[in-house]
Each structure stands twice: as structure tokens, then as C-alpha cells.
Amino acid sequence: MLHNINLSFKEEMERRGDHATKYVVIHHSEVVSRHTAKDVHQWHLNKGWAGCGYHFFIDKDGEIFEARPVWAVGAHMHGYNKESVGICFEGDFNKEQMNKKQEDAAVMLVALLSLSYDNAKVVRQCDLSKEKAGPGANFPFEDFCQKVETCKSWMKSLSGSEVYQRMMDAVKA
């Protein structure tokens, strides 16, 4: 389920405007112990940043939280923030494995985002910056992308239906 938690940011966010969304960038929080999108927001505030830099946070229970509105420029991938949507997974995938609930929620979200933004490319943080290692060595990226493609095919089969339109509207809201 998608939750909007209405975080308060230290500064006004810039609209992404006409920038084409080319990427959906996958990150992990690099923390094994349980934490929330609000915790990540506070960590980013404590670093002197405006607030949570990710658009979405997916917890270990498979709940999805909109941390930063998708219309806003992110603060998750230097050099790519205006043309990407950032997703952070709860966990450290160098030390643990993603569970099925989290993966299922992520597959659905990433498929919707990819379809909503003209098949934006799904990438790992490390694909855009050799200085970063996210989302960790244990993140099953190839398998995950295959599941996203399967989900996108299923969603495309619904194209034109009321269900499909509601899904697309929910992501872009």
C-alpha cells in the first residue's frame, strides 16, 4: 500500500517541470535495524539537507511511503536528480537479503513508474556513480528487473481499462 506521510522540508522544493524522467534509481538505506521513512528524513535533516532525498521508501513489510513528491526534484543521485525518481529500500543489502513482501511491493511500484515515465530505465545507484555501491551486493538486480518487465507486460494488457488509468493516476498524483 502507498502512504503519503507529508514530510516537512527545510526549503521549498524545485519542480521537476519539463525534465524528462529517464531513470528510476534504486538505493538501500544501508541500515539493518528497523527504521522508517521518517527516520531517513530526520537523518537527512541532521546532515543539513532539506529532508529526505528519495521519492519513495519501501519498508521490510512491503509498505511504500511517498517521502518526497514525485513532482519535486530529488536529492538522491548527484547529477541525475532532475531526471530521475529515487527509491530507497529499508535495509542493508550488503549484509542481508530483501524479503518477498518488500520485493513484491517494489516490483509493482517500479513497473508503474517505468510505464508512467515512458519506460524510464531502472538503474542501481552504482550504475550512475562508481563512487557508490547501492543497493548492495545482495540486491538481486537482474532477477528484480525481469520481474518488473513481467509486471509491466501484465499492466500493459490492462491498458485502456479503468483499473490501468487509476494506477497511472495514483503514481503521478
Side-chain angles (χ1 to χ4, degrees):
M1 173 175 272
L2 178 62
H3 307 277
N4 184 332
I5 52 177
N6 297 313
L7 299 175
S8 295
F9 290 81
K10 283 196 325 193
E11 54 194 54
E12 191 172 329
M13 289 180 277
E14 177 185 352
R15 289 195 164 275
R16 292 191 313 137
D18 294 334
H19 299 285
T21 301
K22 297 177 185 173
Y23 304 103
V24 175
V25 184
I26 305 297
H27 304 264
H28 65 147
S29 61
E30 298 183 68
V31 177
V32 174
S33 62
R34 293 302 304 253
H35 53 283
T36 67
K38 289 181 179 180
D39 293 329
V40 173
H41 182 64
Q42 191 59 54
W43 298 339
H44 288 187
L45 287 169
N46 291 347
K47 289 183 176 188
W49 301 345
C52 186
Y54 309 109
H55 294 93
F56 296 97
F57 179 82
I58 304 175
D59 74 12
K60 291 179 180 181
D61 295 324
E63 297 295 317
I64 303 169
F65 298 86
E66 182 183 41
R68 180 179 285 247
V70 292
W71 57 258
V73 173
H76 60 92
M77 194 70 243
H78 184 70
Y80 296 90
N81 288 318
K82 290 185 177 183
E83 59 189 24
S84 66
V85 173
I87 300 173
C88 182
F89 288 78
E90 177 185 14
D92 184 339
F93 300 129
N94 285 313
K95 298 177 181 171
E96 61 186 320
Q97 303 287 326
M98 178 172 39
N99 69 50
K100 182 160 176 38
K101 287 185 204 175
Q102 195 174 30
E103 182 181 39
D104 288 348
V107 164
M108 183 69 72
L109 175 64
V110 172
L112 282 168
L113 289 168
S114 182
L115 287 171
S116 295
Y117 294 109
D118 298 323
N119 292 307
K121 185 175 181 180
V122 180
V123 296
R124 299 167 293 191
Q125 178 188 32
C126 64
D127 295 329
L128 299 178
S129 173
K130 298 306 174 202
E131 298 166 5
K132 303 290 183 178
N138 294 329
F139 189 90
F141 187 67
E142 287 77 21
D143 184 52
F144 177 78
C145 288
Q146 182 59 50
K147 289 176 182 177
V148 168
E149 287 303 313
T150 300
C151 187
K152 282 172 49 179
S153 294
W154 173 78
M155 288 177 182
K156 284 180 182 178
S157 74
L158 297 174
S159 184
S161 72
E162 183 181 333
V163 170
Y164 181 83
Q165 193 55 51
R166 285 197 329 251
M167 288 188 306
M168 294 298 111
D169 291 346
V171 172
K172 288 194 172 183

